[in-house]
Amino acid sequence: MDALAGLLEGPRASGAFLLRIVLDPPWSIRVQDESPLCLAVMLSGEAYIEPEGGEPVRLRPGDVAIVRGPDPYVMCDDPATPQQVIVNPGQQCVTPEGVELRERMALGVRTWGSNPDGPVQLMLGVYEEVGAVGQRLLDVLPPLLVVSADSWDSTLLPVLTREVTKQGPAQGVVLDRLLDLLLISVLRVWFDRPETEAPAWYRAYTHPVAGEALRLFHEEPAADWTLARVAARVGVSRATLAECFRSAVGTPPMTYLTEWRLALAADLLRQSDDTLNAVARQVGYGSGFALSSAFKRVYGISPQEHRSAAPAR
């Protein structure tokens, strides 16, 4: 598992909020739901999306915007249109005066808006929780990124558009997985752009030495790795491994491994009921005590405090 896959393998969509929105202009929606990540897909018509403190960006059919929370943003037909809807935490929709709108504007299964035949259609997919592994990815994203329809293979959109309004067995799981596929497809396109400053760990995957070491760390975090053992698996000397890895990734290999193990542990502590010793074994620590010492040194709190702060599951 690489760090990009980690966003989906750790806090991947599970009961994600997915909604088709159908509107008549003029319209303006301020989203301040404090979610860590949102995808906005333009299906028909045009819109603007404007992050807090940023410039508005136009969206055309097939364009996908990824908004990194928790800062608010505005979606509208025109930046000059006064805000009509405010989306608060829990996806509570109200007017600027506080009048509840969610039920009033419901148009059917996962569909919401002002007119079921409106010329503007867009889809929102909201990840309401992201763990420590995923946070490593979100930390390198800008507040807003847009991938235009002509720069990626958007064959997923017709499938997602059909499925979002269906009811059936395991429909929520189907939508979660489609949303995950859409997210990772768009991020790969964006990271591969020449003008994008992709994080070092993403670029390093193509490096013959550093990339292989990264794969070992991500796929076998619990292995008893030492610099010598990693070098032997990669087929280079310890000095070559250390130099190549630091040059490509920006940190020494064993430092990266420690950070990765602790991020995995942070997610496991919140996503499972495993004991501290069991979590320690899964991420390469010999005991809960050893994991606890390293965890507190990096995160500033104990594993138990971290687990206790998790939202109720």
Side-chain angles (χ1 to χ4, degrees):
M1 177 174 64
D2 59 50
L4 184 55
L7 175 63
L8 306 178
E9 288 299 324
R12 63 183 181 178
S14 178
F17 181 78
L18 197 63
L19 188 69
R20 185 172 70 101
I21 300 175
V22 190
L23 298 160
D24 275 327
W27 60 276
S28 180
I29 302 172
R30 177 178 173 84
V31 182
Q32 51 187 40
D33 61 359
E34 301 179 2
S35 297
L37 185 69
C38 174
L39 279 78
V41 184
M42 206 68 214
L43 301 177
S44 65
E46 294 187 355
Y48 286 87
I49 186 165
E50 183 177 353
E52 188 86 341
E55 295 297 319
V57 177
R58 177 177 288 178
L59 300 179
R60 297 178 174 85
D63 293 354
V64 180
I66 295 179
V67 185
R68 188 198 70 205
D71 292 341
Y73 60 95
V74 172
M75 296 196 70
C76 57
D77 70 310
D78 187 295
T81 300
Q83 293 172 17
Q84 302 160 344
V85 178
I86 297 175
V87 182
N88 291 315
Q91 306 307 320
Q92 179 196 28
C93 301
V94 298
T95 67
E97 295 74 32
V99 178
E100 174 65 43
L101 288 173
R102 187 168 184 175
E103 296 302 322
R104 183 188 304 181
M105 298 182 72
L107 298 175
V109 178
R110 301 185 193 88
T111 303
W112 185 90
S114 59
N115 179 358
D117 300 312
V120 176
Q121 294 191 39
L122 58 101
M123 189 159 43
L124 289 184
V126 180
Y127 287 77
E128 297 185 312
E129 183 179 351
V130 170
V133 170
Q135 193 62 49
R136 289 161 62 87
L137 173 60
L138 296 191
D139 286 344
V140 303
L141 297 182
L144 170 68
L145 67 91
V146 175
V147 173
S148 60
D150 59 2
S151 64
W152 73 293
D153 181 1
S154 58
T155 53
L156 277 171
L157 291 189
V159 179
L160 189 53
T161 303
R162 287 195 304 270
E163 292 290 338
V164 71
T165 55
K166 286 185 179 180
Q167 292 278 46
Q171 187 64 18
V173 176
V174 171
L175 293 174
D176 286 345
R177 297 293 74 78
L178 287 173
L179 183 60
D180 286 345
L181 287 172
L182 178 62
L183 172 62
I184 203 164
S185 297
V186 173
L187 284 177
R188 287 174 64 179
V189 170
W190 186 76
F191 276 141
D192 288 340
R193 286 177 172 176
E195 67 273 21
T196 297
E197 292 187 13
W201 48 256
Y202 183 85
R203 299 193 309 269
Y205 257 78
T206 60
H207 192 284
V209 175
E212 184 58 30
L214 282 170
R215 277 184 281 274
L216 292 174
F217 292 158
H218 292 151
E219 293 170 7
E220 304 175 48
D224 186 17
W225 294 121
T226 63
L227 188 63
R229 290 186 180 122
V230 178
R233 285 283 295 273
V234 176
V236 296
S237 69
R238 287 179 295 175
T240 297
L241 171 63
E243 180 181 354
C244 289
F245 197 96
R246 182 188 285 273
S247 175
V249 181
T251 60
M254 305 313 288
T255 299
Y256 181 92
L257 176 60
T258 295
E259 294 172 350
W260 180 250
R261 283 171 164 172
L262 292 176
L264 291 174
D267 283 350
L268 286 169
L269 287 163
R270 288 193 168 180
Q271 295 165 7
S272 77
D273 296 321
D274 292 347
T275 66
L276 184 58
N277 282 331
V279 170
R281 289 192 295 270
Q282 291 176 69
V283 299
Y285 283 87
S287 67
F289 178 78
L291 172 60
S292 183
S293 297
F295 195 94
K296 192 165 187 178
R297 184 171 63 251
V298 171
Y299 289 101
I301 58 174
S302 70
Q304 184 57 48
E305 290 170 322
H306 174 76
R307 171 173 270 173
S308 299
R313 287 187 286 118

